[in-house]
Amino acid sequence: MKKAPHLSAVLIAVFGALLATTLFVIYASRFEQKYIHSVAQLDFHEVLKGQVLQRLAFKQDDLLVMYASSEAVLIPSDYQAYKYFRNYPTDFMVFTVANKGTSMLSMAQDLAALGPDMRGKKFVVSFAPATVTMGPGGAMNADNYNPNFSELHALELAFSSQLSWETKGLAATRMLDYPDTLVERPLLKFTLQALSSGSALDKLKYYLAWPLAKLQIAIISVQDHYAVWDFIRHQSTEKLKVTRAERAIDWNADIAKAEAEQKKRSDGNEYGVDNDRWKRGEELMENLPPPGSMDERFKKNVPLALEWRDMDILLRIVKELDGHPLMLGRPMNVKLWEALGYSEETQNLYYQILHQVADPYGYPIVDFHQHGRDQYFSADMASHSSPKGWMYINEILDAFYHNRLK
Amino acid sequence: MKSLMRFTITASNSYWGKVVLLTAYYFAILVVLILMYGKGNFEPAEFIYQGY
């Protein structure tokens, strides 16, 4: 050693870098803990592909984490859960992990990445019929899946020690259907192929890749801490301020207020669709098919939707990680779909399959089926929630958090 | 600059001086590498609306 100054210097420099990284992670973790409730009231999609915030949110007793897709974020309103509960009126706030175009498969990976942090925790999985009823093949297409893909989530799923080989294999097989996400990720691609195949040789290959993958996860996790720290420190003091103001909610009054707002927002058509989203509906209305003429198409396509398979994968993951989710759906916009040639009876097939897939897991499901004919629940054909829809959702979230869900 | 050169030459004459200088050198390389390649991207790419 005395004759090798380069070796000594390299060892000291590497040790110093590791020490500095560790100290930064400790500092960042404290910083994140301090501001997690502030982040809950912000749009934090800039750091959505990480895992730091989700994990931390799960550890807060007064945050109810809700995983969702565009039904929760595409149409802004003051009634969105993260705004409505902003001041902790009933002692909790909703922490919304959502982005437009998020599929069940993306959510499954995000949830798998939580690992043991999910054990025994309540959370919400929000979804709408649109992917099943309108997506190509009943799944999110690559244009939406790819931008939401997170290497960290995928690696955490693939190398989770809590998940069974079978569940990881099912998820891997579906993840391989989106090859563009794996082009510059040879380790992940190799692992997913091994998981999907499941042969003895592939299992051996998988375990050989384990140390390298764990190192990769550790590196991305440090980057995640940096991204979150950087995101928070660029927010204004005003935005980070958390105010708590307990109040009794008059649900009926707020629902009536929200309905009045939606009536105003959709006064240009008879289907309750937001005026600024009606253009597409107007085009469809120009050439209406006879009533019920699209039923066969719906009956043929909806049962085959890949999103059902992905929902099953998600539920398997949750079961194996011992989470306690509420499956929170949205209703079909019955009147509008009827006008487009799909009878109500046929539309009900969506709910039947939903329950066939989800019921066996025994988690509470709220599908809002009874609101299908309430034209002001959804703001468009794809069941993106309107202010009134949000109010019903908020009521359910409140009941779920306080263990009052019937 | 001259005094820095003189300091470097003097320091490199002893073993520990050399180690300190090399450590600073390697550490600087690590820092530059981290700055160049260390930042991850956790923001989803732009949403392409499917007309739902």
Side-chain angles (χ1 to χ4, degrees):
Chain A
M1 204 69 161
K2 195 86 181 160
K3 287 179 183 169
H6 282 273
L7 183 61
S8 306
V10 165
L11 289 175
I12 296 168
V14 169
F15 177 75
L18 287 175
L19 185 68
T21 305
T22 308
L23 290 174
F24 171 73
V25 169
I26 293 169
Y27 160 74
S29 301
R30 289 184 180 176
F31 187 79
E32 292 148 5
Q33 173 68 56
K34 185 178 171 189
Y35 288 109
I36 186 68
H37 292 87
S38 306
V39 173
Q41 60 197 20
L42 302 174
D43 169 7
F44 56 93
H45 81 278
E46 279 171 53
V47 284
L48 212 53
K49 290 186 184 184
Q51 196 55 27
V52 162
L53 292 173
Q54 287 93 315
R55 284 197 173 163
L56 200 49
F58 262 80
K59 290 178 183 160
Q60 314 305 311
D61 288 339
D62 55 358
L63 293 180
L64 176 63
V65 182
M66 177 168 75
Y67 288 81
S69 186
S70 60
E71 74 281 351
V73 288
L74 185 69
I75 302 176
S77 89
D78 290 339
Y79 296 89
Q80 285 168 284
Y82 81 98
K83 294 178 187 166
Y84 190 77
F85 291 106
R86 185 187 171 112
N87 294 334
Y88 299 73
T90 61
D91 281 342
F92 81 104
M93 162 70 162
V94 177
F95 190 91
T96 309
V97 181
N99 194 39
K100 298 160 198 164
T102 305
S103 63
M104 279 285 164
L105 189 58
S106 305
M107 273 195 248
Q109 292 165 57
D110 204 344
L111 286 164
L114 287 166
D117 289 331
M118 189 199 287
R119 186 176 296 277
K121 300 286 184 184
K122 287 206 300 194
F123 60 97
V124 180
V125 175
S126 164
F127 55 95
T131 313
V132 165
T133 55
M134 299 168 81
M140 204 56 86
N141 65 11
D143 283 344
N144 279 330
Y145 176 84
N146 298 356
N148 283 302
F149 178 78
S150 160
E151 185 179 10
L152 178 61
H153 298 168
L155 280 169
E156 291 268 26
L157 183 152
F159 290 92
S160 165
S161 49
Q162 283 86 36
L163 295 177
S164 66
W165 186 270
E166 195 189 350
T167 298
K168 286 189 281 192
L170 289 168
T173 304
R174 280 290 290 130
M175 288 156 79
L176 286 166
D177 288 340
Y178 298 92
D180 288 349
T181 57
L182 308 172
V183 170
E184 288 173 13
R185 299 180 173 108
L187 175 68
L188 183 60
K189 187 177 177 181
F190 166 86
T191 307
L192 295 179
Q193 283 168 339
L195 280 167
S196 180
S197 149
S199 71
L201 182 63
D202 281 319
K203 278 190 180 177
L204 179 67
K205 284 184 194 169
Y206 170 84
Y207 286 116
L208 286 174
W210 187 284
L212 194 56
K214 288 293 173 183
L215 181 65
Q216 179 82 346
I217 288 171
I219 291 169
I220 303 176
S221 298
V222 175
Q223 292 176 329
D224 187 14
H225 277 292
Y226 177 82
V228 170
W229 170 75
D230 197 43
F231 168 75
I232 296 172
R233 76 191 182 92
H234 279 101
Q235 304 299 319
S236 65
T237 318
E238 190 55 38
K239 277 188 174 177
L240 293 175
K241 195 176 166 197
V242 177
T243 311
R244 291 172 190 260
E246 212 173 308
R247 71 177 170 92
I249 296 176
D250 184 341
W251 294 105
N252 290 333
D254 282 358
I255 288 169
K257 222 165 90 185
E259 183 179 75
E261 185 176 328
Q262 186 57 22
K263 278 182 178 168
K264 217 163 121 190
R265 286 163 68 140
S266 63
D267 58 7
N269 64 85
E270 57 179 299
Y271 298 98
V273 174
D274 275 7
N275 292 334
D276 59 0
R277 304 183 64 74
W278 180 238
K279 198 171 173 255
R280 169 91 176 120
E282 210 166 22
E283 285 167 14
L284 293 169
M285 292 295 152
E286 279 171 13
N287 202 5
L288 286 180
S293 61
M294 301 299 281
D295 285 358
E296 285 313 308
R297 186 175 151 176
F298 193 93
K299 284 177 191 165
K300 187 180 158 208
N301 292 337
V302 168
L304 300 175
L306 284 166
E307 191 76 346
W308 297 127
R309 199 163 132 189
D310 296 341
M311 182 183 277
D312 187 62
I313 291 170
L314 180 146
L315 288 163
R316 286 180 73 116
I317 287 170
V318 170
K319 195 90 185 167
E320 290 178 15
L321 295 178
D322 194 21
H324 298 282
L326 162 68
M327 299 299 288
L328 184 67
R330 302 290 188 278
M332 294 288 297
N333 195 338
V334 175
K335 194 177 162 192
L336 182 54
W337 279 77
E338 266 182 346
L340 297 171
Y342 302 85
S343 69
E344 184 174 11
E345 192 192 346
T346 296
Q347 291 178 46
N348 287 342
L349 182 63
Y350 164 76
Y351 302 103
Q352 287 166 23
I353 303 176
L354 167 64
H355 285 277
Q356 274 169 22
V357 174
D359 283 353
Y361 290 90
Y363 300 127
I365 304 170
V366 176
D367 58 19
F368 291 114
H369 188 168
Q370 72 278 20
H371 288 282
R373 285 214 169 266
D374 181 348
Q375 70 200 73
Y376 298 113
F377 190 105
S378 302
D380 60 12
M381 186 179 174
S383 303
H384 292 112
S385 302
S386 73
K388 187 183 182 189
W390 268 115
M391 274 315 303
Y392 284 115
I393 292 160
N394 292 336
E395 196 174 11
I396 291 291
L397 292 174
D398 191 68
F400 179 61
Y401 178 83
H402 293 291
N403 299 318
R404 284 188 275 101
L405 197 63
K406 288 169 194 160
Chain B
M1 195 65 181
K2 265 186 182 175
S3 58
L4 183 67
M5 289 276 282
R6 206 174 306 131
F7 169 78
T8 309
I9 292 165
T10 314
S12 62
N13 282 336
S14 78
Y15 173 79
W16 286 111
K18 207 179 269 181
V19 169
V20 169
L21 288 174
L22 285 170
T23 301
Y25 170 68
Y26 287 121
F27 194 76
I29 289 176
L30 286 174
V31 169
V32 170
L33 284 173
I34 289 169
L35 289 176
M36 282 173 71
Y37 303 108
K39 202 175 173 189
N41 178 13
F42 297 92
E43 182 173 3
E46 204 177 323
F47 174 65
I48 301 168
Y49 185 55
Q50 305 295 303
Y52 287 0

